[in-house]
Amino acid sequence: MSLGEWTVRARQDVSYRVTQVTEVLSPANDALAQAVGLTPGARRLVVVDEQVFALHGARIQEYFLSRKTVPHILRLPGGEHTKTIPSLEEIVRAADSIALARREPITAVGGGVLTDLVGLAAGLYRRGTPFVRIPTTLVGMVDAAVGAKNAVNFHGHKNRLGTYHPARDTLVDRAFLRTLDTRHISNGMAEIIKMAVIHDAALFDLLDAEAEQLVRHRLDGSAGQEVVRRAIGGMLEELEPNLWEHELRRAVDFGHTFSPGFEMAARPGLLHGEAVSIDMALSCALAVDQGLQSPADAVRVLRLLRRSGLPVWHPVCEVGLLWDALGESTRHRDGRQNIPLPVGIGKCVFVNELTEPELRRSVDVLHRLLDEEGLAA
């Protein structure tokens, strides 16, 4: 017999901004000051990637000091090996060391790993502290720093521990890309190509026409601005109706079905975008085998990936590992495979009940396409 029963229903109102800006660290630019709420005498915790600090640390300090705000700077190494609980604890200790109040925002300046770390720390600290992101890598600008998810790797799994806690503001300044090496530009291009293949055929055509120039010039100029605008806009269009992932059929999971498994297995040999690129190549072969995408369209995708400096295969990708990775993604998707596969270019559908023999056959399809087109790595 029940002695009492209560049902609580509540809604969480979420609003956040992503803004393309120029010269965000110029003292004349108010965007960061407004986002972080800089006032004379205020204190602010700023978490910065070590390599970014080496390049831009003086400008970061000067910006805060020019607003008569004292920056408490915590430097952390970048890379997936940093995406751990000890790094998370280091951020929390830094917040405690300056007695950070609950409404005082943390600023994150760095790549996607660092913004993920700071986002998770901010979400946990005092059960929710605001933070502001300044992504400095291309993958951070168009992917990691756009959504609401933050996480750390744990127990050999990518992003196993995490939460939903979007940054209050994300300031995207392509000027940071000028000091990024070519490999990391290509790494970010993978996430842009992802959005083009499953969401935006016009973006695909733009990339197809400009791929080499975009990489060479680090997305500078009007073409780069348009590519970043469309990639971020498309990502947000996909994320906004399903920010908390109540619906587990997500188009933005294209390239993220098999890659979490072999990215970790190949570490440190593969960057995140490189793993996504290989997953997209395999997914296109799956789409060809399933009659969803023509071989010609699949080849267009494969060529664009290669022209952007991305891999389309890796020796670690044995069928057994790929099948295990699919099983892990299926558990993550609540028991459904929900594999996003492209329909032509610009749209996708979701496939379930893929069998291991079909996966093996699709690997063969991929290698045949690569061999026929001279695209094998």
Side-chain angles (χ1 to χ4, degrees), residues 214-232:
L214 287 165
V215 173
R216 185 181 305 116
H217 298 296
R218 289 163 170 74
L219 284 90
D220 199 8
S222 58
Q225 179 180 340
E226 178 65 7
V227 164
V228 171
R229 185 190 70 80
R230 294 191 76 100
I232 292 175

Side-chain angles (χ1 to χ4, degrees), residues 250-281:
R250 304 172 68 245
V252 294
D253 281 340
F254 178 59
H256 294 72
T257 297
F258 307 98
S259 60
F262 64 75
E263 179 182 347
M264 297 297 284
R267 198 171 60 172
L270 283 177
L271 299 176
H272 173 69
E274 293 170 340
V276 169
S277 175
I278 295 168
D279 189 315
M280 288 191 288

Side-chain angles (χ1 to χ4, degrees), residues 1-73:
M1 177 187 295
S2 173
L3 298 180
E5 181 178 302
W6 294 264
T7 299
V8 177
R9 293 184 177 88
R11 293 184 178 180
Q12 183 177 9
D13 184 27
V14 175
S15 175
Y16 65 92
R17 292 182 296 265
V18 180
T19 310
Q20 272 205 80
V21 298
T22 56
E23 300 299 336
V24 69
L25 295 179
S26 167
N29 190 333
D30 290 331
L32 177 56
Q34 293 173 355
V36 184
L38 299 187
T39 55
R43 61 194 171 181
R44 290 293 181 265
L45 175 60
V46 186
V47 186
V48 188
D49 181 288
E50 283 182 346
Q51 291 187 340
V52 173
F53 188 84
L55 292 167
H56 307 287
R59 295 178 65 212
I60 293 169
Q61 291 174 309
E62 288 168 6
Y63 186 93
F64 283 83
L65 292 174
S66 73
R67 305 294 172 132
K68 297 181 172 57
T69 301
V70 179
H72 297 266
I73 295 178

